[in-house]
Amino acid sequence: MSSLEKDRAVGEHQPLPTGVDPTIPNVARMYDYALGGKDNFAVDRELMEQLFAVVPYGPRPALENRAFLGRAVRFLADAGIRQFLDIGSGLPTVGNVHQVAHATAPDARIVYVDYDPVAVAHSWTLLSGTDKATAIQADMRRPDNILTDPGVTSLIDFTQPVAVLLVAMLHLLPDDQDPAGIVRRFREAMAPGSYLVVSHITSHEQPADVATNLRKVFEQAREPMVPRSREQIRCFFEGLELVDPGLVKVPDWRPDQPGRPRQPATGLVLGGVGLKR
Ligand SMILES: C[S@@+](CC[C@H](N)C(=O)[O-])C[C@H]1O[C@@H](n2cnc3c(N)ncnc32)[C@H](O)[C@@H]1O
């Protein structure tokens, strides 16, 4: 039984945390299910299975994305970055940002941001015992609240290089919520020498029905799904210099063993890392 289901099982005596609705699938728990995690409800699993039925990649895009996140963080730690702001960080799972960063740079400071109360509560549990990382509950649609949150400013100095991670989350923001303006605000706040990491579900080179089916299935979830073209995703890096190999299918972004034969990328997720000069 997952910890959430345990919460639910004792729900008569201990209600679920505020803001948790076990009847509506949400992306944090659906993604957890795709990654093989246990912090999800039946509704999340059922919707993910519906998705797997019409978008025939199974959990591979989620796994590809998570592996990209790990490689990007390692690259940034190797490049000397010591501050990480991970927005839309999700439920803790394998290869959390602080674990990857601390393997290279034990002095790195990490702030996790998510609007999901359970993701934040689980992050706190995982982080008890370290003063180098914390988690705050905040909505990325209000970037200034994040940039000035005391939990963020206690660990991150925006006058120094920082890595801002927006990994597998901008496709949850429709255009009318101004994702471009939100990302611009974070880019503006970053000191020279900072990096922006973005991964995003794409319609680029995908069969036409993939984007349609994704949108349709997500109509039943709390968050909408907005696959974007390669050009639209490229715009999130405006004014930044994409580091090699640019904006690519996430398994093709600096693979650990470049020469080794790999399963072909699904191509459903594009990712890149941009440097602010
Ligand atoms: C698919 S998960 C990605 C987790 C992690 N970044 C990764 O790539 O492994 C997306 C996360 O974004 C969070 N999220 C969605 N919209 C958000 C918003 N407006 N503000 C903050 N977090 C949000 C969800 O709660 C979820 O945990």
Side-chain angles (χ1 to χ4, degrees):
M1 189 185 284
S2 83
S3 50
L4 284 185
E5 281 168 334
K6 274 188 224 137
D7 284 347
R8 197 180 180 188
V10 295
E12 284 171 358
H13 310 291
Q14 273 178 294
L16 286 169
T18 312
V20 178
D21 184 343
T23 66
I24 299 179
N26 86 27
V27 73
R29 300 188 310 244
M30 290 166 68
Y31 183 67
D32 175 71
Y33 175 59
L35 292 177
K38 301 255 183 292
D39 290 318
N40 44 76
F41 292 128
V43 288
D44 308 305
R45 297 191 284 275
E46 280 158 20
L47 196 59
M48 226 35 206
E49 291 298 335
Q50 274 187 44
L51 188 67
F52 294 161
V54 291
V55 178
Y57 301 130
R60 282 173 53 212
L63 295 163
E64 290 175 352
N65 177 70
R66 191 72 190 175
F68 161 76
L69 171 63
R71 294 195 307 280
V73 170
R74 210 172 55 229
F75 165 82
L76 295 166
D78 287 342
I81 292 293
R82 294 295 177 264
Q83 318 190 91
F84 295 82
L85 182 60
D86 182 7
I87 303 172
S89 46
L91 286 154
T93 179
V94 283
N96 298 297
V97 169
H98 73 288
Q99 294 161 333
V100 178
H102 283 165
T104 302
D107 56 333
R109 299 179 304 283
I110 296 92
V111 180
Y112 293 107
V113 181
D114 206 292
Y115 73 172
D116 184 90
V118 178
V120 176
H122 284 210
S123 298
W124 279 336
T125 305
L126 179 70
L127 297 173
S128 64
T130 171
D131 58 358
K132 298 254 180 331
T134 191
I136 66 159
Q137 186 179 356
D139 192 322
M140 72 109 47
R141 288 168 290 191
R142 285 183 275 289
D144 285 298
N145 289 0
I146 295 176
L147 293 166
T148 57
D149 187 289
V152 174
T153 54
S154 65
L155 285 183
I156 293 188
D157 173 359
F158 286 99
T159 67
Q160 298 301 312
V162 60
V164 174
L165 315 179
L166 294 168
V167 178
M169 64 96 57
L170 289 170
H171 45 239
L172 306 171
L173 293 189
D175 290 347
D176 63 7
Q177 298 190 1
D178 192 22
I182 293 167
V183 179
R184 186 183 322 118
R185 183 68 196 98
F186 286 110
R187 285 196 313 262
E188 286 166 0
M190 290 159 38
S194 297
Y195 291 86
L196 175 71
V197 182
V198 169
S199 72
H200 197 297
I201 289 185
T202 187
S203 49
H204 180 71
E205 292 181 354
Q206 290 292 314
D209 60 345
V210 163
T212 313
N213 288 339
L214 268 166
R215 283 178 194 272
K216 215 171 164 56
V217 170
F218 268 82
E219 281 169 10
Q220 298 171 62
R222 179 176 62 171
E223 293 89 356
M225 169 57 67
V226 189
R228 292 193 166 89
S229 69
R230 192 172 184 285
E231 262 328 291
Q232 288 171 316
I233 300 169
R234 176 73 184 77
C235 288
F236 291 125
F237 294 100
E238 198 182 326
L240 306 184
E241 188 180 303
L242 276 170
V243 303
D244 272 352
L247 179 61
V248 294
K249 296 172 185 173
V250 282
D252 296 336
W253 196 89
R254 296 181 178 248
D256 283 335
Q257 291 159 305
R260 198 168 152 214
R262 283 178 283 133
Q263 193 175 24
T266 65
L268 191 62
V269 186
L270 295 180
V273 176
L275 166 64
K276 182 167 177 175
R277 287 274 179 207

